[in-house]
Amino acid sequence: MIGLGRMGAGMRERLRAAGHEVIGYDPRPEVTDVDSLTALAAALAPPRTVWVMVPAGEPTRATVRALADLLTPDDLVIEGGNSRYTDDVPNAELLAGKGIGYLDVGVSGGVWGRDNGYGLMAGGALEHIHRAMPIFDALRPAGPREQGFAHAGPVGAGHFAKMVHNGIEYGLMQAYAEGYELLTATELITDVPAVMRAWSRGTVVRSWLLDLLVRALHEDPGLAALTDHVDDSGEGRWTLEEAITRAVPLPVISAALFARFTSRQESSPAMRAVAALRHQFGGHAVQHAAGPTGAADASACRTS
Amino acid sequence: MIGLGRMGAGMRERLRAAGHEVIGYDPRPEVTDVDSLTALAAALAPPRTVWVMVPAGEPTRATVRALADLLTPDDLVIEGGNSRYTDDVPNAELLAGKGIGYLDVGVSGGVWGRDNGYGLMAGGALEHIHRAMPIFDALRPAGPREQGFAHAGPVGAGHFAKMVHNGIEYGLMQAYAEGYELLTATELITDVPAVMRAWSRGTVVRSWLLDLLVRALHEDPGLAALTDHVDDSGEGRWTLEEAITRAVPLPVISAALFARFTSRQESSPAMRAVAALRHQFGGHAVQHAAGPTGAADASACRTS
Amino acid sequence: MIGLGRMGAGMRERLRAAGHEVIGYDPRPEVTDVDSLTALAAALAPPRTVWVMVPAGEPTRATVRALADLLTPDDLVIEGGNSRYTDDVPNAELLAGKGIGYLDVGVSGGVWGRDNGYGLMAGGALEHIHRAMPIFDALRPAGPREQGFAHAGPVGAGHFAKMVHNGIEYGLMQAYAEGYELLTATELITDVPAVMRAWSRGTVVRSWLLDLLVRALHEDPGLAALTDHVDDSGEGRWTLEEAITRAVPLPVISAALFARFTSRQESSPAMRAVAALRHQFGGHAVQHAAGPTGAADASACRTS
Amino acid sequence: MIGLGRMGAGMRERLRAAGHEVIGYDPRPEVTDVDSLTALAAALAPPRTVWVMVPAGEPTRATVRALADLLTPDDLVIEGGNSRYTDDVPNAELLAGKGIGYLDVGVSGGVWGRDNGYGLMAGGALEHIHRAMPIFDALRPAGPREQGFAHAGPVGAGHFAKMVHNGIEYGLMQAYAEGYELLTATELITDVPAVMRAWSRGTVVRSWLLDLLVRALHEDPGLAALTDHVDDSGEGRWTLEEAITRAVPLPVISAALFARFTSRQESSPAMRAVAALRHQFGGHAVQHAAGPTGAADASACRTS
């Protein structure tokens, strides 16, 4: 297991709890089991299976390149980070040139996965899938395998599926959030957290995300301690880019992404432009005398 | 129980299974227990509790008016249909004039509620809530009461909460649907139903709606038997109208509603107008000679 | 002319410049020609034509009620404010009961209308349209009548047309604004105001609104003096409500309206809810040790 | 002038009308002035200015590569097609290696530009701009130069500006289209084309696009001859992709693009998925007995 952040460390723990022998590497001495990738490779008897769980982009690509030099034919690399699926075929081809196998796996579940199990979507060759199945079985939630694991397709399919999963996640989160806001916008609802908690069982909108929101509202009923500036990760953007390429309309997922973009703006140039246009309707003289409120209240009719 | 459609009949059954005595009325002889509302009222010993579960709008209002004449002081009417919350205060006032109590209850769960229990959101006075609690306890899912029932606020709050619940539901359904479409738009994903089934446990997007979609994909992997024309009920529209009134932005929920509107159009006047505009760019002569494809492929550059 | 705000005063001026005799009433002594509605009625010889140009809603309805008492059969009331079209039939019926005619007219053009002329959309009976045509001809821009005036339909059609006009206006403004923001978001464009000014002639996007934005950018190239909090008036909301009623999808106009709602929020409850959900993914321990950046940068992989 | 499609041919004509000597090349013998690019180069005395007006993408790139071989130091290539701005720096560098100058110019105006002039946005070095100014002055509309031409920035800025221009265009078109649809959705408006024609002068929404829509409605009042399937070109998609990269929210422009995507679908997988979910609410038994309509109409209450 390379990368012992919140995800990698939790996965190491879940694998060990299932009886697997796991050696973890991380540059942080306080969490790593070995001093280097070289030491990691040396500590395992071939054929080795190495799970890469490091930040997407160059860190992951660099790790794969390093493994191409360190590993030997018949080893298997499983890339489980939040990488863009377009990285996978190049990774796989680099490793295939050395006889090393490759799987890409989308992993979902957050820090809760350590105890609940992780949802897994894998891309790659069937023989590699079969070989790694004991690992997948240990990581996925209890219950039928097909409810927590899928072989989604060839190399890249795992990360593509995870990308779409996260795009959906954006839409779901925004839907609950909009409903929450509307509930808070009326005095009629006297206990918003109680209403959302009552949706936990039996209703059509029950879900794990709802459970998390109920939990958050229990800890902070007005969500007052939180900023409304919301980051986005790569997957939401990639989902939208893929949809553009394939001419798939994503009105909800794009709206959810844009709401995050907007949330982070200190000032919106676009809305200043709208304000400027409204201003211009009024011509040069923008200081309007406030009219008295008479019986017929006849003043100040602004018609565009 | 007045109204023995899919919801009312299921609720009667669940209440009886919990040991309650229930008399149901429905105009359809094959499902009703009594011949008339009068007979229903006569069959119950005061103080009576009457649950109204008929279509929203005039049918419900007419039923409440009929009950105002049939019932007596200290009776209680529970309006559990999909009514607009603005109907509730008039209903309550009409009945209060006769000394009859009133609760409005949003009920979620569909036909599955009979076995799983129904999520309940109630509006009205605390004394009426307390009185009806044995009924709510029988209808709601097993587990802690607060996870399947909430006293949302005064009269109207139950239906307001249900309205928002359904608005959220629109957004959630559309989010899954957009993700589904993107998964089907690439050859990389070889088994879309398997991917979505693998999200059932452990993932961030797991939910009851996902379970239903997995079920639908199991029955019909390409959803080929279904039309893409999707109806909408009142609650989605009301949610949006309430948001407009309160200046609450609902980009996701509105997009989900509009997707349904669009789905039902045989031809879109708006898109014909866009087509007309594109057409006009090209001037009167719209028959373009197809240019040969030469080395420099220099023909037919259309720039707007 | 009742109501001598920016619109009413400009219209009085334009009408007088065209040779019409106009008596204006406004509660503000410094702009009014007469002291009261009674004096206004007395100053005109029957049959009178009275143009009402006061704020929409109760002020306009109150003025119409007052006129119903003051005017006499064969007089004509023209309601030119930004009223909701649903007010028009009640207004017309009230006046018809006294033998007084009624037209509703949507007026567009802002303060620029005084010099450029106003675009007019009228609803009502043909006989009233004919009678008021000299007024319409004076108010509308020079050029063919049909390019600045339309008889849109029966009573209410004028305000309905104006409502849709303003809904479109919201979409147009937001489209320019989004483009403006994207231009400012790249260093590649060294002179954003110059680019937008170059669109003034010849391009597909040329328009009067663009001219106004070019003017605003000329006065304040970064629009730095403006707040990004943008108000909305009734028509945008009414447009969306009408669309909901008629199941007409308005993705662009609704997005433009919601952008204004969002722009006015000091803090977004919805986005705090999204932040809360993201927070919950991380579990209870939200203080994460910042990992060192090593060769393989293997720390801190956050996968949801 | 390389490429004599609708745009290139119109531009050749406008340039000639202004007194410029223009030699056009196109693979179609019926429109070309010379037989080959080689002949084109030979027919001009250095230093030459060559305007490339061929389809975006590989055709344009291939033409630039061909010109790199044919032209000589101090020649100037102006790339005026609808290319993505990211193509410009590679083009410019290829030509700079041969001492050849490069400008990228976004051209707007459609077939109408031949008579009205074209709006121009140019990217590149000031010296090249100056040199080509007589050409720009001939192509742009009459009036002040800055209202039809801008030096938008370095190489790439012209096409970036044009991309944003087209993104705005999508939003504008959709705004008018949505308003048109809402006007057609009520019987209150008896003459929709007349209403939109009346917006031509004086109103806030007046524009050239509105003029085109009025023209289209004059030719075909119900737009009945048109399909509602609307294509999109690269620029709308690129605009959205650039916005994603820069975290700029584009709710209106994206909604306009998605409306086109949707318009072209014979069947929407997403909406079939929504239909499937609604279906599942109803459980296995989806054939519902149609209830009689009784006094209380108490049947068939469907609550989700």
Side-chain angles (χ1 to χ4, degrees):
Chain A
M1 179 71 57
I2 302 176
L4 299 170
R6 283 187 290 150
M7 292 297 290
M11 292 163 76
R12 177 176 60 172
E13 206 170 322
R14 185 168 179 91
L15 285 166
R16 285 177 175 167
H20 288 272
E21 182 193 3
V22 187
I23 301 171
Y25 170 70
D26 190 282
R28 293 171 298 161
E30 67 274 23
V31 294
T32 193
D33 298 320
V34 290
D35 288 346
S36 64
L37 287 183
T38 308
L40 180 85
L44 292 162
R48 293 163 286 212
T49 299
V50 180
W51 191 296
V52 180
M53 206 66 192
V54 308
E58 187 48 27
T60 290
R61 288 189 295 263
T63 302
V64 169
R65 285 196 302 270
L67 291 174
D69 291 337
L70 287 169
L71 298 182
T72 51
D74 292 328
D75 286 345
L76 174 64
V77 171
I78 302 177
E79 208 281 74
N82 266 334
S83 302
R84 191 161 190 170
Y85 79 97
T86 47
D87 279 355
D88 289 313
V89 165
N91 282 344
E93 288 179 348
L94 174 69
L95 294 169
K98 312 274 183 138
I100 305 166
Y102 182 84
L103 291 175
D104 61 286
V105 180
V107 180
S108 178
V111 296
W112 302 82
R114 193 193 58 187
D115 296 328
N116 297 345
Y118 302 90
L120 304 172
M121 304 136 249
L126 197 55
E127 57 173 326
H128 298 137
I129 297 283
H130 282 151
R131 181 167 150 194
M133 194 56 81
I135 301 172
F136 298 146
D137 279 340
L139 289 174
R140 68 171 176 82
R145 179 186 288 162
E146 66 269 22
Q147 294 186 4
F149 172 84
H151 181 197
V155 166
H159 280 135
F160 192 98
K162 180 57 168 34
M163 175 190 75
V164 175
H165 165 283
N166 281 35
I168 292 172
E169 179 189 312
Y170 276 52
L172 302 181
M173 289 165 78
Q174 185 71 21
Y176 286 116
E178 292 179 8
Y180 167 74
E181 179 164 336
L182 188 52
L183 287 178
T184 64
T186 174
E187 295 184 356
L188 198 54
I189 303 295
T190 53
D191 190 346
V192 171
V195 167
M196 300 195 91
R197 193 186 314 117
W199 295 344
S200 301
R201 296 176 185 238
T203 71
V204 172
V205 302
R206 66 189 189 261
S207 73
W208 188 65
L209 277 167
L210 176 67
D211 294 343
L212 291 184
L213 187 50
V214 167
R215 206 166 168 275
L217 288 166
H218 178 72
E219 294 168 3
D220 178 5
L223 303 179
L226 287 155
T227 174
D228 65 351
H229 291 219
V230 184
D231 282 333
D232 70 288
S233 57
E235 281 107 341
R237 301 186 185 200
W238 300 335
T239 303
L240 192 45
E241 288 172 359
E242 291 299 322
I244 295 167
T245 301
R246 291 167 171 78
V248 171
L250 294 191
V252 156
I253 292 174
S254 62
L257 182 63
F258 290 151
R260 295 191 181 189
F261 288 175
T262 299
S263 79
R264 299 199 301 263
Q265 296 188 311
E266 285 308 313
S267 172
S268 161
M271 298 321 288
R272 290 205 310 274
V274 174
L277 281 169
R278 280 172 56 88
H279 195 114
Q280 290 288 332
F281 292 168
H284 284 93
V286 294
Q287 285 81 16
H288 314 295
T293 52
D297 194 6
S299 62
C301 183
R302 203 192 62 75
T303 301
S304 60
Chain B
M1 179 71 56
I2 302 176
L4 299 169
R6 284 186 290 150
M7 292 298 288
M11 292 164 74
R12 177 176 59 173
E13 207 171 322
R14 187 169 178 89
L15 285 166
R16 285 177 175 167
H20 288 273
E21 182 192 3
V22 186
I23 300 171
Y25 169 70
D26 190 281
R28 293 171 297 159
E30 67 274 23
V31 294
T32 194
D33 298 320
V34 290
D35 289 346
S36 64
L37 287 182
T38 308
L40 180 86
L44 292 161
R48 294 163 284 211
T49 298
V50 180
W51 191 295
V52 180
M53 206 67 191
V54 308
E58 186 49 28
T60 290
R61 288 189 294 264
T63 303
V64 170
R65 285 196 301 270
L67 291 173
D69 291 337
L70 286 169
L71 298 182
T72 51
D74 292 328
D75 286 345
L76 174 64
V77 170
I78 303 178
E79 209 280 75
N82 266 335
S83 301
R84 192 161 192 170
Y85 80 97
T86 46
D87 280 355
D88 289 314
V89 165
N91 282 344
E93 288 178 347
L94 174 68
L95 294 169
K98 311 274 182 142
I100 305 166
Y102 182 84
L103 291 175
D104 60 287
V105 180
V107 180
S108 179
V111 297
W112 303 82
R114 193 194 56 187
D115 296 329
N116 297 345
Y118 303 90
L120 304 173
M121 303 136 249
L126 197 55
E127 58 172 325
H128 299 136
I129 296 283
H130 283 152
R131 181 167 151 195
M133 193 56 81
I135 300 172
F136 298 146
D137 280 340
L139 290 174
R140 68 170 176 83
R145 179 186 288 162
E146 64 269 23
Q147 295 186 4
F149 172 83
H151 181 197
V155 166
H159 281 134
F160 192 98
K162 180 57 168 34
M163 175 191 75
V164 175
H165 166 283
N166 280 35
I168 292 172
E169 179 188 312
Y170 276 51
L172 301 180
M173 289 165 79
Q174 186 70 22
Y176 286 116
E178 291 179 8
Y180 167 74
E181 179 163 337
L182 188 52
L183 286 178
T184 64
T186 175
E187 295 184 357
L188 198 55
I189 303 295
T190 53
D191 191 345
V192 171
V195 166
M196 300 195 92
R197 195 186 313 118
W199 295 344
S200 301
R201 296 175 185 238
T203 70
V204 172
V205 303
R206 66 189 189 262
S207 72
W208 188 64
L209 277 168
L210 176 68
D211 293 345
L212 291 184
L213 188 50
V214 167
R215 206 165 168 275
L217 289 167
H218 177 73
E219 295 168 2
D220 179 4
L223 303 180
L226 288 155
T227 173
D228 65 351
H229 290 219
V230 185
D231 282 333
D232 70 287
S233 57
E235 281 107 339
R237 302 186 185 200
W238 300 334
T239 303
L240 193 45
E241 288 172 359
E242 291 300 321
I244 295 167
T245 301
R246 290 167 173 76
V248 171
L250 294 192
V252 156
I253 293 173
S254 62
L257 181 64
F258 290 151
R260 295 192 181 189
F261 288 175
T262 299
S263 80
R264 299 199 300 263
Q265 295 188 311
E266 286 309 313
S267 172
S268 161
M271 298 321 288
R272 290 205 310 274
V274 174
L277 282 169
R278 281 172 55 88
H279 195 114
Q280 291 288 331
F281 292 168
H284 285 93
V286 294
Q287 285 81 18
H288 314 296
T293 53
D297 194 7
S299 61
C301 184
R302 202 192 62 76
T303 302
S304 60
Chain C
M1 179 70 58
I2 302 175
L4 299 169
R6 284 186 290 152
M7 292 298 290
M11 292 164 75
R12 176 175 61 172
E13 208 171 321
R14 186 169 179 90
L15 285 167
R16 284 178 176 166
H20 288 273
E21 182 193 3
V22 186
I23 300 171
Y25 169 71
D26 191 280
R28 293 172 297 159
E30 65 275 23
V31 295
T32 193
D33 298 321
V34 290
D35 288 346
S36 65
L37 286 183
T38 309
L40 181 86
L44 292 161
R48 295 163 283 212
T49 299
V50 181
W51 191 295
V52 181
M53 206 68 191
V54 306
E58 187 47 28
T60 290
R61 287 190 295 264
T63 302
V64 170
R65 286 196 301 269
L67 290 173
D69 290 337
L70 286 169
L71 299 182
T72 50
D74 292 328
D75 286 346
L76 174 64
V77 171
I78 303 178
E79 208 281 75
N82 266 335
S83 301
R84 191 161 192 170
Y85 81 97
T86 46
D87 279 354
D88 289 313
V89 165
N91 283 344
E93 288 178 348
L94 174 69
L95 294 170
K98 311 275 182 138
I100 306 166
Y102 182 84
L103 291 175
D104 60 287
V105 180
V107 180
S108 179
V111 297
W112 303 83
R114 193 194 59 187
D115 296 329
N116 297 344
Y118 302 90
L120 305 172
M121 305 135 248
L126 197 54
E127 59 171 325
H128 299 138
I129 297 282
H130 283 152
R131 180 165 151 197
M133 194 56 83
I135 300 172
F136 298 146
D137 280 341
L139 289 174
R140 68 171 174 82
R145 179 185 289 161
E146 65 269 22
Q147 294 185 5
F149 172 84
H151 181 196
V155 167
H159 280 134
F160 192 99
K162 179 58 166 35
M163 174 191 75
V164 175
H165 165 283
N166 280 35
I168 292 172
E169 179 188 310
Y170 277 50
L172 302 180
M173 290 165 79
Q174 185 71 21
Y176 286 117
E178 291 179 8
Y180 167 75
E181 179 165 335
L182 188 52
L183 287 177
T184 64
T186 174
E187 295 184 357
L188 198 54
I189 303 295
T190 53
D191 190 344
V192 171
V195 167
M196 299 195 93
R197 194 186 313 118
W199 294 345
S200 302
R201 295 174 186 240
T203 70
V204 172
V205 302
R206 66 190 189 260
S207 73
W208 188 64
L209 276 168
L210 177 67
D211 294 344
L212 291 184
L213 187 50
V214 167
R215 204 166 170 276
L217 288 167
H218 178 72
E219 294 168 2
D220 178 4
L223 303 179
L226 288 156
T227 173
D228 64 351
H229 291 218
V230 185
D231 282 333
D232 70 288
S233 57
E235 280 107 341
R237 301 185 185 200
W238 299 335
T239 303
L240 192 46
E241 288 173 358
E242 291 299 322
I244 294 167
T245 301
R246 290 166 172 77
V248 171
L250 294 191
V252 156
I253 293 174
S254 63
L257 181 63
F258 290 150
R260 296 192 180 190
F261 288 174
T262 299
S263 79
R264 299 199 301 266
Q265 296 188 311
E266 286 309 313
S267 172
S268 161
M271 298 320 288
R272 290 205 310 274
V274 173
L277 281 169
R278 281 171 55 88
H279 195 112
Q280 290 289 331
F281 291 169
H284 284 93
V286 294
Q287 284 81 16
H288 314 295
T293 53
D297 194 7
S299 61
C301 184
R302 204 192 62 75
T303 302
S304 59
Chain D
M1 179 71 57
I2 303 176
L4 299 169
R6 283 186 290 148
M7 292 298 290
M11 291 164 75
R12 176 175 61 172
E13 207 170 321
R14 187 167 178 92
L15 285 167
R16 284 178 176 165
H20 288 273
E21 182 192 3
V22 186
I23 300 172
Y25 169 71
D26 191 282
R28 293 171 299 159
E30 66 275 21
V31 295
T32 194
D33 298 321
V34 291
D35 287 347
S36 65
L37 287 183
T38 308
L40 180 85
L44 291 161
R48 293 162 287 212
T49 299
V50 180
W51 191 295
V52 180
M53 206 67 190
V54 307
E58 187 48 28
T60 290
R61 288 189 295 263
T63 302
V64 169
R65 285 196 301 270
L67 291 173
D69 290 337
L70 286 168
L71 299 182
T72 50
D74 292 328
D75 286 344
L76 175 64
V77 171
I78 303 177
E79 208 281 76
N82 266 335
S83 301
R84 191 160 190 170
Y85 81 98
T86 46
D87 279 354
D88 290 313
V89 165
N91 283 344
E93 288 178 348
L94 174 69
L95 294 169
K98 310 277 183 137
I100 306 167
Y102 182 85
L103 291 174
D104 60 287
V105 180
V107 180
S108 178
V111 297
W112 302 83
R114 193 193 60 187
D115 296 330
N116 296 344
Y118 302 90
L120 305 172
M121 303 136 250
L126 197 55
E127 58 172 327
H128 298 138
I129 297 282
H130 283 153
R131 179 164 153 198
M133 195 56 82
I135 301 172
F136 297 146
D137 279 340
L139 288 174
R140 68 171 176 81
R145 178 185 290 161
E146 66 268 22
Q147 295 186 5
F149 173 83
H151 182 196
V155 165
H159 280 134
F160 193 99
K162 180 57 166 36
M163 175 190 75
V164 175
H165 166 282
N166 281 34
I168 292 172
E169 179 189 311
Y170 276 51
L172 302 180
M173 289 165 79
Q174 186 70 21
Y176 285 118
E178 291 178 8
Y180 167 75
E181 179 165 335
L182 188 52
L183 287 177
T184 65
T186 174
E187 295 183 356
L188 198 55
I189 303 295
T190 52
D191 190 345
V192 171
V195 167
M196 299 195 92
R197 194 187 314 117
W199 294 344
S200 302
R201 296 173 186 241
T203 70
V204 172
V205 302
R206 66 191 191 260
S207 73
W208 188 63
L209 276 168
L210 177 67
D211 294 344
L212 291 184
L213 188 50
V214 167
R215 206 166 169 274
L217 289 167
H218 178 73
E219 295 167 2
D220 179 4
L223 304 179
L226 288 156
T227 172
D228 64 351
H229 291 217
V230 185
D231 281 334
D232 70 288
S233 56
E235 281 107 340
R237 300 186 186 200
W238 300 334
T239 303
L240 193 46
E241 288 172 359
E242 291 299 322
I244 295 167
T245 302
R246 291 165 172 78
V248 171
L250 293 192
V252 156
I253 293 174
S254 63
L257 181 64
F258 290 150
R260 295 192 182 191
F261 288 174
T262 300
S263 79
R264 300 199 301 265
Q265 296 188 312
E266 286 309 313
S267 173
S268 161
M271 298 320 288
R272 289 205 310 276
V274 174
L277 282 169
R278 281 172 56 88
H279 194 112
Q280 291 289 332
F281 292 168
H284 285 94
V286 294
Q287 285 80 17
H288 313 295
T293 52
D297 195 7
S299 61
C301 183
R302 201 191 62 76
T303 302
S304 60

